[in-house]
Amino acid sequence: MGRYILKRLIWMIPVVLGVTILVFSIMYLIPGDPAKMMLSPEATPEEIAAKREELGLNEPYLVRLGKFLGGIVFRFDFGDSWVYNQPVTKELLNRFPRTLTIAVICIGLQIIIGIPLGIIAAVNQNGLGDRISMFIALFGISLPNFWIALMLILFFSVKLGWLPPFGIDGFKYYILPCIANAFPGIATQARQTRSSMLEVIRSDYITTARAKGMSELQILLKHALPNALLPVITIIGNGMGMLLAGTVVIESIFSIPGIGMYLVGGINSRDYNIVQSSVIFLALAFTFIMLLVDLAYAFIDPRIKAQFARKHKRGHHA
Amino acid sequence: MHNSSAITAITQKNKKQSQFAVVLRRLSKNPSAIIGLIVVCLLVIMAIFAPLIAPYPYDKQNLLNTRKPPSAEHIMGTDELGRDIFSRIVYGSRYSLSIGFLAVLFSNIIGMTLGALAGYFGGLVDDIIMRLIDIIQSIPGILLAIAISVVLGPGFINTLIALGFGAITMACRLMRASVLGIRHQEFLEAAISNNASTFRIITKHVIPNSFAPVLVGATMSIGNVIMSAAMLSFIGLGIQPPTPEWGAMISGGRALIRSCPWMVTFPGIFIMLTVLAFNMLGDGLRDALDPKLKK
């Protein structure tokens, strides 16, 4: 068990470095001169050259990459914004709780709605309940979240006036963004829960339980559900990635000052360090969540535990 | 010698046809897959014959007839420049569909090759390719597409590259998994013992025999790519106005959502219908190619 955790933790190092290097290298290819953009349009060529020197833009690719990487790894410092000259890290950390709140509420909705829908579908396979819940799920994964967000605003804010269309001053403000962002996750969760349940229902130990004379409800709760929910945990982790990315559009529609809106602002003002840092920050948050999910998985799933315990034993004998 | 190879060629052909026919028969029994297929066909027809179907040119402005709600002349209303929204949606299908098909095609060619190499050779090749794929997948797809489109700028080809890059990972994973599944089967051993070249084995034996899951994955990712393309346009990247791209149309109508909701509603319905159709078709294909799951 300890070895699994250690292995998984060590794997984080290449992922963090890889993600940072990949995004930095993509953004390195950007045309245009950041020094020119940071100064006023009337800046002289000498001033621009001085600024380039100050920002270290004249240094070769590897030196710049090393500095950026070193800043993130050792000091968790993403550098300064090009347009506002403000430290990006502070802004990211201030905004992250709002983005995370939306993502966590959406995960909650995904679990509360998606898993029961999937169970209903699997238990009534090919019946009416299955058809209806899978049709809802198919619709859910086909809805563009930015469009559903606008439709929700149109209906609940403009027409009915029940909920605020933008801002973030309290619980009420989170309702529409979370619903809009949760749709694809709920649908994916329902579909995966269904197929995972169907696989379990067909296995021998369910037949055995039935032969023993257990009631269908008991079989469902004691045997089928615990086994079917294991793969479902992975979906929750992946869903987190989708949700964090989804907030980019959702936040800018609902004017929620989270990382997504920061990122879109960076695109519009051509402040590419904001774009680069926000993408890396969200990707790192996602990898960290996946790490937690994998570790949780190892604790819950006896098969992973057994796998490593066996190896351990064999090692001792040899 | 000639005779026998001709016979094997014929039997092979028959066998392939019958397999294809079986899949087609199963697909035709699945109403939702058929609906998906019909909608996809209708959309393709709409894209090809856009000039014949659209009642007005997509860029024809009429400043005396702006922001009109749906009516008999303009069934989906007009936008802030008096352009007919239905005509723009019809032309917009060209961009959405071609980006969907092409991005998935290119990413699948690259992804399948990488996946086949990783699965076939295993060992170090597998480790290097798959760890790279792992790292790319640690960045949520749409964020990667945003970073690439920021660098490349707006435009059709650039959007294609931005969206195709992230889609490589899934094709690669699916291909690798199915290659691993057939890796130790007899027909591969036979090919190897016949001294067939590695290239020939991969292109003639490995890829055709592990194509099914990749095809299902590709159909599903067409829907995803179309949705992501619309999202890129919506946040000001990707394909930009005045091109009648669906996401860009929603973005353009966003500021006027209170007074003219039809500018936002109709393009969104078309995105949803298109994605839904591809997903229904993909689901149907999956069930038809893998009847085990359906039972």
Side-chain angles (χ1 to χ4, degrees), chain B residues 14 16 59 90 104 106 115-116 146 172 193 199 233 236 268 273 284:
Chain B
N14 276 348
K16 254 184 205 164
D59 52 356
V90 170
V104 169
F106 290 131
I146 287 174
C172 179
S193 59
F199 179 77
S233 297
L273 270 181

Side-chain angles (χ1 to χ4, degrees), chain A residues 229-246:
Chain A
L229 286 187
L230 283 172
V232 164
I233 296 174
T234 316
I235 308 300
I236 295 175
N238 276 324
M240 221 37 202
M242 259 167 50
L243 289 169
L244 287 175

Side-chain angles (χ1 to χ4, degrees), chain A residues 33-303:
Chain A
D33 188 347
K36 214 186 244 172
M37 279 161 33
M38 286 174 80
L39 298 165
S40 66
E42 302 96 57
T44 61
E46 289 77 30
E47 280 172 327
I48 293 173
K51 192 79 192 171
R52 283 187 67 86
E53 194 61 41
E54 185 197 322
L55 290 170
L57 294 175
N58 293 328
E59 281 165 301
Y61 163 76
L62 278 178
V63 175
R64 283 177 62 189
L65 172 65
K67 279 187 179 161
F68 186 69
L69 207 58
I72 293 177
V73 172
F74 297 118
R75 284 171 279 128
F76 202 65
D77 179 5
F78 286 91
D80 290 343
S81 129
W82 290 357
V83 176
Y84 307 108
N85 267 326
Q86 302 278 323
V88 171
T89 315
K90 207 178 128 204
E91 197 72 15
L92 286 173
L93 291 176
N94 279 340
R95 286 165 178 264
F96 187 55
R98 297 190 197 103
T99 305
L100 193 66
T101 308
I102 295 176
V104 168
I105 296 176
C106 290
I107 286 285
L109 288 174
Q110 186 174 326
I111 294 169
I112 298 169
I113 303 171
I115 293 182
L117 266 184
I119 295 174
I120 292 170
V123 172
N124 306 303
Q125 197 194 0
N126 294 333
L128 191 66
D130 187 16
R131 296 264 150 86
I132 293 174
S133 30
M134 282 308 104
F135 190 70
I136 297 174
L138 200 59
F139 248 98
I141 55 167
S142 310
L143 286 171
N145 64 352
F146 58 92
W147 180 69
I148 210 66
L150 292 173
M151 290 296 112
L152 289 172
I153 291 179
L154 186 63
F155 195 71
F156 290 103
S157 306
V158 179
K159 290 254 153 67
L160 296 174
W162 287 356
L163 293 163
F166 54 81
I168 202 84
D169 281 338
F171 172 71
K172 256 173 46 178
Y173 290 80
Y174 278 102
I175 298 175
L176 290 185
C178 288
I179 294 177
N181 205 20
F183 261 102
I186 293 172
T188 316
Q189 186 87 61
R191 283 159 66 97
Q192 295 291 341
T193 307
R194 175 180 183 267
S195 60
S196 167
M197 272 296 271
L198 285 181
E199 215 157 278
V200 169
I201 285 174
R202 263 183 254 130
S203 41
D204 292 338
Y205 56 82
I206 298 289
T207 318
T208 312
R210 242 177 230 140
K212 279 197 311 199
M214 267 177 110
S215 76
E216 284 297 317
L217 188 71
Q218 264 184 317
I219 294 175
L220 184 74
L221 293 179
K222 283 205 172 148
H223 292 288
L225 210 51
N227 285 297
L229 286 187
L230 283 172
V232 164
I233 296 174
T234 316
I235 308 300
I236 295 175
N238 276 324
M240 221 37 202
M242 259 167 50
L243 289 169
L244 287 175
T247 53
V248 172
V249 180
I250 294 295
E251 283 177 3
S252 58
I253 289 176
F254 289 98
S255 304
I256 298 166
I259 292 185
M261 201 175 148
Y262 192 45
L263 173 64
V264 174
I267 295 171
N268 292 334
S269 61
R270 293 165 190 275
D271 196 331
Y272 297 128
N273 193 33
I274 290 182
V275 177
Q276 165 176 299
S277 304
S278 308
V279 170
I280 294 174
F281 187 88
L282 287 177
L284 293 186
F286 174 47
T287 35
F288 189 69
I289 289 163
M290 283 310 277
L291 172 78
L292 294 181
V293 166
D294 280 357
L295 293 183
Y297 206 91
F299 272 107
I300 302 167
D301 191 347
R303 278 166 294 193

